[in-house]
Amino acid sequence: AGQGSLRLDIDDDNSIKDAAGNPLGGLGFTDGDFSRGESYTILGGSGATFYVDCDYFGPETGTSINPFRSLGSAIEAVTAGAGDTIVVRPGFYPESIALPANTSLVGAESAYQVLITGDATSPVVAMAEGCVVRRVSIYGGAGFTGIDIGAAAEVSNSVVYGNDTGIHVSANGVATLVNNTLTFNDVHGLIVEPGGRIASLQNTIFAFNGTAVMAAVSAILDTGYNNYHANGTDVAKTGLSPTDLN
């Protein structure tokens, strides 16, 4: 964990061998030396990683071996602002959660295998400053909001469906939305309140929503490669057309 740099150099003393027992570079010392190792920058956060598995039964410590059973337990364990990550294993999670600042919620596998449905409160997921949601499905049901973004936050590689509003960006929100599917949201797929902004809207599918996008022209700072299909209205707000957000 943490940030820094890594470089790999090799001094050949014949101790590195292949499966057949042959030393690297041959029998002679130094003939396998490699002193021009590539340097890598490690950008991982410095926070802790907690695991959640709704099908697990046993002691719950949040480790990979003894994960928490609920998202709520993981939320209680994270430290706001520390850069912690919650890894969610496949399953059904009927919980509504508020992510503390700089917390990442990441599905362990594909988005369709991690379903967060809320507990009849709205929104299903509330995101604070620096939060990330990735590889999950969010379903709140009629009358509810799937994801509420109240600060600078990112949603990627996720499915948000079956809500009144899929993603709501508040007046203080700055959303990065990449590689998502927003579908079957009755009122809005995405709505941006006055003062809110979309830092990036890329590679997103809007299908079968009441209105796919409700936002002012000035709210969308970067956009591209989005697709609209069978929405009641693709884009709504004076000065905005579907081609502006494709």
Side-chain angles (χ1 to χ4, degrees):
Q3 299 186 2
S5 60
L6 175 69
R7 174 172 161 165
L8 178 65
D9 291 337
I10 296 174
D11 291 327
D12 179 23
D13 61 0
N14 285 342
S15 63
I16 302 175
K17 300 178 181 179
D18 63 18
N22 302 308
L24 178 71
L27 291 175
F29 282 24
T30 75
D31 51 11
D33 282 0
F34 187 75
S35 58
R36 300 183 304 280
E38 185 72 29
S39 293
Y40 300 91
T41 299
I42 302 170
L43 298 176
S46 58
T49 299
F50 299 97
Y51 293 84
V52 180
D53 187 341
C54 62
D55 294 324
Y56 167 78
F57 292 92
E60 298 180 41
T61 59
T63 64
S64 179
I65 296 175
N66 301 116
F68 294 120
R69 291 195 64 216
S70 72
L71 300 174
S73 295
I75 294 292
E76 291 177 0
V78 304
T79 301
D84 292 348
T85 298
I86 299 171
V87 177
V88 188
R89 290 176 176 156
F92 173 68
Y93 297 87
E95 306 176 59
S96 295
I97 59 173
L99 293 176
N102 293 340
T103 299
S104 295
L105 181 75
V106 181
E109 299 184 27
S110 72
Y112 292 99
Q113 293 176 287
V114 177
L115 177 59
I116 304 173
T117 63
D119 56 8
T121 59
S122 187
V124 176
V125 178
M127 302 179 69
E129 181 74 27
C131 287
V132 173
V133 168
R134 182 175 298 129
R135 287 200 305 270
V136 299
S137 290
I138 306 292
Y139 172 87
F144 297 98
T145 294
I147 297 176
D148 182 78
I149 297 177
E154 174 190 322
V155 180
S156 61
N157 301 93
S158 294
V159 180
V160 186
Y161 73 102
N163 309 280
D164 256 22
T165 293
I167 298 178
H168 172 265
V169 182
S170 73
N172 296 316
V174 182
T176 296
L177 308 174
V178 180
N179 300 332
N180 299 299
T181 298
L182 280 68
T183 186
F184 290 106
N185 296 292
D186 293 340
V187 182
H188 300 107
L190 167 64
I191 183 170
V192 184
E193 300 289 353
R197 290 178 293 157
I198 302 295
S200 183
L201 177 62
Q202 301 281 343
N203 302 327
T204 294
I205 296 172
F206 295 92
F208 301 102
N209 301 286
T211 295
V213 179
M214 171 71 81
V217 175
S218 59
I220 312 295
L221 304 183
D222 179 56
T223 183
Y225 307 104
N226 301 300
N227 182 268
Y228 300 83
H229 174 73
N231 301 289
T233 302
D234 287 337
V235 177
K237 203 74 172 185
T238 302
L240 208 61
S241 70
T243 54
D244 291 320
L245 296 181
N246 285 344

